[in-house]
Amino acid sequence: MEPAVPERQGLYDPANEHDACGVGFVAHVKGQKSHGIVEQGLLILKNLDHRGAVGADPLQGDGAGILIQIPDQFYREEMAKQGINLPPAGEYGIGMVFLPQEAASRYACIEEIERSVQAEGQVVLGWRDVPVNRDMPMSPAVKAKEPVIRQVFVGRGPDVFVTDALERKLFIIRRRAANAIKSLKLKHGQEFYVPSFSARTVNYKGLLLADQVGVYYLDLQDKRVVSALALVHQRFSTNTFPTWDLAHPFRMIAHNGEINTLRGNVNWFKAREQAISSPILGEDLKKIWPLHYPGQSDSASFDNALELLVMGGYSLAHAMMLMIPEAWEKHTLMDENRRAFYEYHAAMMEPWDGPAAVAFTDGRQIGATLDRNGLRPARYLVTDDDFVVMASESGVLPIPEKKIVKKWRLQPGKMFLIDMEQGRIIDDKELKDSLAKAKPYREWIEKIRIKLDEVPAAEEKTEAAAASLLDRQQAFGYTQEDIKVILEPMVNNGEEATGSMGTDSALPVLSSKPKTFYAYFKQLFAQVTNPPVDPIREELVMSLVSFIGPKPNLLNTTDINPPIRLEVSQPVLTAADMEKLRHIQKYTGGKFRSFELDICYPVAWGKDGVEARLASLAADAEDAVRSGANILIVSDRKVDENHVAIPALLATSTIHQHLVKKGLRTSAGLVVETGSAREVHHFALLGGYGAEAVHPYLALETIEALAKGDAAKADKFVKNFVKAIGKGLMKVMSKMGISTYMSYTGAQIFEAIGLQKAFVEKYFTGTPSNIEGIGVFEVAEETIRLHKSAFSDDPVLANMLDAGGEYAYRTRGEDHVWTPDAIAKLQHSTRSGKYETYKEYARIINDQTKRHLTLRGLFEFKPAGGPISLEEVESAKDIVKRFATGAMSLGSISTEAHTTLSLAMNRIGGKSNTGEGGEDAKRFAPVKGGTMLSDIVGKTRIERDIELKDGDSLRSAIKQVASGRFGVTTEYLVNADQIQIKMAQGAKPGEGGQLPGHKVSEYIGFLRHSVPGVGLISPPPHHDIYSIEDLAQLIHDLKNANGKASISVKLVSEVGVGTVAAGVSKAKADHVVISGFDGGTGASPQSSIKHAGTPWELGLAETQQTLVLNRLRGRIRVQVDGQMKTGRDVVIGALLGADEFGFATAPLVVEGCIMMRKCHLNTCPVGVATQDPVLRRRFTGQPEHVVNYFFFVAEEVREIMAQLGIRKFEDLIGRADLLDMRAGIEHWKAKGLDFTKVFYQPAVPASEPRRHAGEQDHGLHKALDHKLIEQAQKALEKGQKVQIETPVINVNRTVGTMLSGEVAKRYGHAGLPDDTIHVKLTGTAGQSFGAFLAKGVTLELIGEGNDYVGKGLSGGRIIIRPHPDFRGQTVENIIAGNTVMYGAIAGEAFFAGVGGERFCVRNSGGTAVVEGVGDHGCEYMTGGTVVVLGMTGRNFAAGMSGGIAYVLDEDGSFKNRCNLAQVALEKVAAASRQPANEPMHRGLTDEDQLKDLITRHAEYTGSARAKDILAHWDAYREKFVKVYPHEYKRALTELATAGQKEAA
Amino acid sequence: MGKPTGFLEFERLSEAYEPVEVRVKHYKEFVSHLSDDAAKVQGARCMDCGIPFCNTGCPVNNVIPDWNDLVYRGNWKQALDVLHSTNNFPDFTGRICPAPCEAACTLGINDQPVGIKSIEHFIIDKAWESGWVVPQPPKQKTGKKVAVVGSGPAGLAAAQQLARVGHAVTVFEKNDRLGGLLGYGIPDFKLEKSVIDRRVAQMEAEGVTFRTKVVVGGKDLPQGIINDAIEFVSAEQLNKEFDAVILAAGSEVPRDLPIPGRELKGVYAALEFLIPQNKQVAGQQPNPINAKGKHVVVIGGGDTGSDCVGTSNRHGAASVVQFELMPMPPEQENKDLTWPYWPYKLRTSSSHEEGCSRDFAVATKEFIGDGQGNVKALKAVRVEWKDGKMAEVPGSEFELPADLVFLAMGFTNPVGSLLEAFGVEKDGRGNAKATTDGAGCYATSAAKVFAAGDVRRGQSLVVWAIREGRQCAREVDAFLMGTSNLPR
């Protein structure tokens, strides 16, 4: 039997698999066991079913399971049947074991287990075959992998007296047996797996559908199987491969989310192996290594680590706090002891960072915790009969409302623990306070923490360099652009420079210019399976704190004399810092000792010298640490004419990895002193490969030189630079969803492009590199070339740096795909209609025999048969239907440019894309000939008119839904042929965007439903997509809104994108876009444009291979984009697996773009990418030109098809066998490339589709809305009022959306008159209740809602009030989940209870009244009105630029929880006293609208709170705080002034 | 990067010209460069394009956005360094280059292009005035000797580059003054000869030896070529004495008009008029041809023709008519289809402004004599062009009085005997055959003999000659030393 997950093949790598899931538990607080709890656990699973996914076969899920306490009586009776008498409960343990089907291997495994039991001095009591239901329908693939499931019963040995000791022994036995079986290297050994091995818990899980767990495991049906807890989990994996072991729960946890820092965490554990010892485990500790196996999932690895900590003596809660600490670094409100606790532990272990809701249990306690940013949902309730139910969503168990005493949620960084032995719930505060006070952490911290800043300044002066500044700059590859584009903006503004229009320069491995080694690495980023973080607006979770020096012993739980540590607040060190470190022994009384490793070597040794030099550096580092050095300084300061510096990144990684392998890494800190680091990417790489701090001496000297001797200026420049790098690092980290530099250090969140695999494996172990390339000697060669030219007498380099040409074209600078001639020929050809001129253009782009630029430039076609005549090939007019233009918002480009594209695409039957800025509804209807563009859009909004033809349409077929949700109304959605969820953008994957206020014109404000002049922020993540099952939910929501539109998900190429695409296909997307990293942008940080993501050739090939391998390809369409320019590009895209093609930059060039790369400055001189009316008048693009372009491209495609002998375009798709690497590549770097993996085709049956061939089943027929629509017919058709009543449960998701789609189709955004359709629902609504609810529809819910209530609210009204039976106070109980009213446009909502985190995020115009909210309330809000009648969480109003929030601040503490960066807090004045001359929100005084809203809240929900406030109005009014965004106030004032002027 | 919004705020400002009535009275330059402030403003108009089309539009690939920015910021000296890094003689190009860079300027798509040439002119004049242009003698000598035949812009550029890396360079010039066409062909009112002289002085200080009045290769030059040589050096001699030879002798043979009456007195090749004029201005012997009070017809509508027009007007000609065989180009090009390339359009030079009537699509059929061997009129006919073919318009013949006729119809090829003397293979047009890219570029078929400038590419712009001279120098340096640090 083959392993379930396929081996690495082609670009597919099982290491990239992701999963996420639904999690839940039910427990009895007093520990009362019952079979009912098991049954309820299984019921939770069923009700979380929609959070899982099924693969190609509906019978194949991704796994599910249930972990319970050992039902002693049951096993006792069962084992008695075998004649085995079990010892008393707690004196034996049960191992639940998955064994290979193959008999010999199975026996070998059994033997090893028994051997381990004996070796550890315990007793094998016997084995039990776990009875399973063989008749249950099961997918053949799952069946084929079904293990033999047995339980082993282990009794305690004579030396073991208490259960805790037995538990530890069982742990050692399991590790020992697993390591032994691993070392047998059996083919079937991989099927061996131990779901649990404990004296307290037993775990029933498997590759089962959620509702199959209880059916499959017959034990679970037995009434004698009783437990006081049931921990359940339903998995959603990105793949469809049958794996039994990856199902949750694990032995101690069930996890929903993703650990982003996994690689670093696992490496750091490896690094600790030699350095840690455990007073509790003693010698046994050695038996457990290695703790992690390659290829384990993040959850499994987390479980291993947690288990070790617990076995090592930490309490469960303590261990969880260590692994997932709260965001303590910037938490000013945190209790001092607790902060000290976290700070103390921060040095012990880096956080396991990423979105996570982790439920955990050791059989005595059960609890859950949430990551620091609260990125997963977890709701719980407590009943009056001591039951606690916690789950990813509410309503998973039918519990009568009258029994419930508390409904709440897990909050970011918070923990919730039930101690069943104590019989009580321990809340976060009590739990953490008691741990924080257990030891004098505050005192310790003060004694042992040395902040580098506080170390006295070193007396020593930095040694003068042996070479001139210029020579050294040149040796490290500085160009004039490094000064002008990189450094100057940083030193002037304290942040990284912005650029635009993507990148089209040669890949480093193809470049003929020497590149820095850093350039070969690309940053990885989060998409779909985990969310990026907003490092600016959510800075409170970010931290750059770094510890330099040895890490304390992780398992020394009994420490009474903790070691000292050296702390820096951020990792960029100045020269003064460096001198302190160099002489740290002197300044810390010998507590630290630093040792310098000189990474320069004589240039005379040549490139061959590098390998040995690296080896000796590693050895020197090891010696130094062994002889007591605890800070290693990796330095290239000694570079001079005769000594070349090994690239610092290479040296750092070599040393770091060597020390990790030797288990010495945690014994010393690693500081890099290098002349090479100057941009954010460099620092990120050095950190990512192990540096705890970096001293960029040459960048600092360069900066000081820029100050031209002005010391104060130099000082400011340095400060700004350090600040800019810090901000940039946070951005790079947050792109991957990582919040702390500590866990980023060594996390290797990169992939290499153009580096030899063997080289990477040796020096950057674990980093993906898929197309081979240069090795260590070529790297050295490149360095030496730079070095030599630096010290040569080259006249051009005598007084100045090389010009560069990477960021802007320069003759003899770096090569670019777009050349002046290419642009000229493209424009001339499309304007004149001359195909020959187009061919000249195509030749410049396509022919890369002399200039090497792109990977595809190195491909050539390998026809399988003879050529055919051109007439036989599919027509161009059919081919162009596969073309789309890119997602460029009206905002990033001008109205003229935007409409020209839509006209052209509609003329050829292709698709244009709205981009993320909404679309004018006036564009939706077809037009009559002779109409002018300005007749439709409005005279004042058009600067250069276009005459339209009959049948023309301005409607963009693709409507984009991005994180900002600007203009995403129901009407917008129903007018789409395709709805595109933008997960990432090639130019800045993992980042948000910002449209500054001055660019928000009247028209853009109108389209985005915002106030002109007020800045708009697109958050980095979609706040309704933190994981793959969230994406499935959004797809479901959008499909409900418009069932006819195909739902597309846009991803960016990076290693692992194929796996994400497979997940996307399983999440029921109809369409997926793979974008290259090089795609255009209106504005993006330079380092993101250049260094994040990969060329589409790689991502597309990986996607095709993974989808085909998973049998998921047929049901999804694949589109590729990213610098798509010619027919040859299209054909290569098709051969690598694309059905469709996106073009953006090229059509813009056709419209007149000349690659100014000034989009971000709003100064586009040809009127394409600007909003300036004066410049827009210069626009000359015409739809005809764009039409010409696409037909030319199609014609070129046809010519190539004829040459390949292929008649139908669809027959090209996925035929990677028709591609080959061009022969005779002589370029010294490029010749090492190998595209075998890119051209790989997985071996699947011929019947398996390799292109789009079928449709997804969206399961829309199950929607409750069908019933609503039926009952609302009179309203829909005739506008008559209707009342509908219905029960609702959590599996009824997206209620009201389909109905709203019907309203919007008929009545547009204006909808129906208020309350025409009134739906009264009772129960717990599923996710996305009332999403995109249209005007005229009221949803009145009696009960509670889950996440995403009122998402995209488009005018409807939502009322949620508690069931009358529920006894809890509204202000103390949760009534709606997270991310409520995300992206609301209009409408109102009233919640008689507390909402979750991120309430009203990105609200553009919705009104809400709520009685309390979680963290990040009103974040990024641009309009609307929010009233909070209770407590708020932290970071309220972050990034809020518009609208108003009124918060009832009873104790005056609100200001501490509000992010005051963009808002002012004001009092709510009495209506009579509000100054008349000040502009008013919605034209009402604060008092009037506040009182009105509260009155209606009371009316709609019956809220006692509201009534009380109204009853004591004057007293309460005083306590309200008005949250007033500065920008909004300014814009209102300006609008008022403009209005007055007009009136006058 | 200049001022991001500069192009929206500031208008293009052209350099100031002396009024026609003043300037036609002398032979001095009449263009004054921009003031410091004006230069900054003009620099601010540069948009610092992501793709600066000017950079490729310029044959020497001047890094225009960079020095525009430096000028905007007032960093004149640094601007000079950047300018000099691609162009040895911005003082020449800043005066007489037709500025293809400006045709390629992106601002020119829908506005007046950046005044690149005026800024270049400003930078270099500022530099000379400030004493920033100093000799850059090599740190050490290589011991290699290079001969450069011809002292035009290609030869000078090559010589300067090579001298600066330590080669012993000798420039041979058959005439008595240096500069080739720059020195003799172009009138002083466009390029004062002191501009060349100071460069020559700089080069001498850098180690270049100049030998004037020495003709190399062949002694017998075709008619119409001015030759002051008093000394002859054979190809063999040069090959023997030097490690490498660069032929940079230009493309001097004028295109003739072999029609009846060509032999008449008063019908001259343009250079027969222009070179003596320059000598006269330089204080040497007076120009034997005098246009004062005469009816002048210039045949040929190019720059040389313009120079004849300007010189004739300064002489005080009674009338000046310029013929062009091609039809009148459009006044404004269709930028949609031409930009960023050099557009075909009507160009009016400063000489035209000084008084001249231009006639297009006209072919000269015959020169009519006065019976005493002097030309007195010419007969011409109107022509029509269709699909690149010319046809005379029947019945359109006309006569025009002409006391002086200057033939300025371009130059066909270099003096053949020079190439033959070195045994250099010619291309189809009679130029020295050599490539400009890849291995062995600029090398001729003859061992260690290189060719650059018009001698290789045929008649062209000064700026192209400088480019070729520079690139050729790099190849020669690499040929002599194995590698070269000289920029291309």
Side-chain angles (χ1 to χ4, degrees), chain A residues 480 484 488 504 708 792-796 799-800 803 807-812 818-825 827-829 831-832 1152 1154-1158 1161 1163-1166 1172 1174-1175 1178 1180 1185, chain B residues 1 4-5 7-8 47-53 55-56 60-61 63 65-66 69 73 75 78 81-82 85-86 106-107 109-111 139-140 165 335-341 467 470-471 485-488:
Chain A
Q480 291 177 31
K484 196 171 102 172
E488 277 182 355
D504 66 336
K708 300 200 166 101
S792 74
D793 45 10
D794 186 333
V796 175
N799 316 310
M800 60 179 128
Y807 296 91
Y809 185 94
R810 290 287 181 270
T811 309
R812 294 184 289 277
W818 285 115
T819 65
D821 282 332
I823 288 181
K825 297 291 180 197
Q827 293 186 339
H828 295 176
S829 67
R831 288 167 184 165
S832 65
I1154 41 173
M1155 298 299 280
M1156 287 298 293
R1157 298 187 187 274
K1158 295 288 177 287
L1161 298 176
T1163 58
C1164 175
V1166 289
D1172 184 335
V1174 173
L1175 293 172
R1178 301 183 176 196
T1180 58
H1185 303 164
Chain B
M1 50 147 288
T5 52
F7 72 101
L8 288 169
M47 303 189 290
D48 187 29
C49 304
I51 297 183
F53 288 75
N55 181 222
T56 40
V60 290
N61 306 122
V63 198
D66 289 5
D69 181 49
R73 291 163 192 257
N75 297 339
Q78 231 180 316
D81 288 344
V82 177
S85 74
T86 54
T106 45
L107 190 49
I109 295 173
N110 44 31
D111 201 335
K139 288 194 195 112
Q140 57 210 27
V165 291
K335 277 192 181 153
D336 278 355
L337 298 180
T338 60
W339 178 89
Y341 301 119
R467 171 196 174 99
R470 289 171 61 84
Q471 295 194 343
N485 280 328
L486 284 173
R488 258 178 76 84

Side-chain angles (χ1 to χ4, degrees), chain A residues 1356-1388:
Chain A
R1357 180 184 299 123
I1358 295 171
I1359 300 160
I1360 308 186
R1361 57 188 162 90
H1363 193 278
D1365 289 352
F1366 178 61
R1367 291 168 289 168
Q1369 293 296 311
T1370 52
V1371 282
E1372 287 164 5
N1373 286 279
I1374 189 160
I1375 198 154
N1378 292 335
T1379 322
V1380 167
M1381 288 179 70
Y1382 177 37
I1385 302 282
E1388 42 186 41

Side-chain angles (χ1 to χ4, degrees), chain A residues 716-734:
Chain A
K716 190 184 131 223
F717 278 4
V718 168
K719 282 208 175 77
N720 277 347
F721 175 76
V722 172
K723 183 175 156 203
I725 295 293
K727 277 175 104 168
L729 276 174
M730 288 205 279
K731 189 153 229 173
V732 175
M733 282 156 42
S734 60

Side-chain angles (χ1 to χ4, degrees), chain A residues 748-820:
Chain A
Q748 302 185 208
I749 315 284
F750 296 91
E751 68 175 300
I753 296 193
L755 297 181
Q756 205 180 71
K757 187 77 192 160
F759 163 64
V760 171
E761 265 317 300
K762 183 167 176 189
Y763 297 101
F764 298 90
T765 317
T767 301
S769 181
N770 281 322
I771 50 166
E772 297 288 332
I774 61 172
V776 70
F777 299 116
E778 287 81 11
V779 171
E781 164 77 25
E782 191 155 35
T783 316
I784 291 171
R785 283 184 186 203
L786 264 177
H787 188 90
K788 285 191 171 160
S789 74
F791 291 99
S792 74
D793 45 10
D794 186 333
V796 175
L797 300 178
N799 316 310
M800 60 179 128
L801 293 168
D802 181 80
E806 179 72 49
Y807 296 91
Y809 185 94
R810 290 287 181 270
T811 309
R812 294 184 289 277
E814 186 52 84
D815 272 327
H816 289 257
V817 184
W818 285 115
T819 65

Side-chain angles (χ1 to χ4, degrees), chain A residues 272 275-279 314 348 551-557 559 563:
Chain A
R272 273 183 195 102
I276 62 177
S277 58
S278 166
Y314 288 102
M348 310 200 63
K551 293 186 190 292
N553 178 7
L554 176 62
L555 291 182
N556 195 358
T557 47
D559 212 338

Side-chain angles (χ1 to χ4, degrees), chain A residues 892-905:
Chain A
S892 71
I893 59 175
S894 65
T895 315
E896 293 76 13
H898 198 268
T899 48
T900 298
L901 289 180
S902 60
L903 282 170
M905 295 322 275

Side-chain angles (χ1 to χ4, degrees), chain B residues 325-360:
Chain B
L325 190 60
M326 303 300 291
M328 183 158 98
E331 296 232 8
Q332 199 45 257
E333 74 273 30
N334 180 359
K335 277 192 181 153
D336 278 355
L337 298 180
T338 60
W339 178 89
Y341 301 119
W342 186 244
Y344 176 64
K345 70 168 186 181
L346 182 67
R347 292 169 198 281
T348 303
S349 70
S350 61
S351 293
H352 292 138
E353 288 165 357
E354 289 158 10
C356 159
S357 75
R358 288 197 272 176
D359 206 347
F360 291 90

Side-chain angles (χ1 to χ4, degrees), chain B residues 278-320:
Chain B
N278 279 10
K279 291 191 174 184
Q280 178 187 323
V281 173
Q284 293 171 263
Q285 65 277 34
N287 194 344
I289 304 167
N290 192 337
K292 188 174 172 65
K294 295 198 173 141
H295 296 289
V296 176
V297 177
V298 179
I299 300 178
D303 289 337
T304 310
S306 262
D307 292 345
C308 293
V309 171
T311 305
S312 300
N313 276 324
R314 278 165 180 72
H315 280 205
S319 73
V320 183

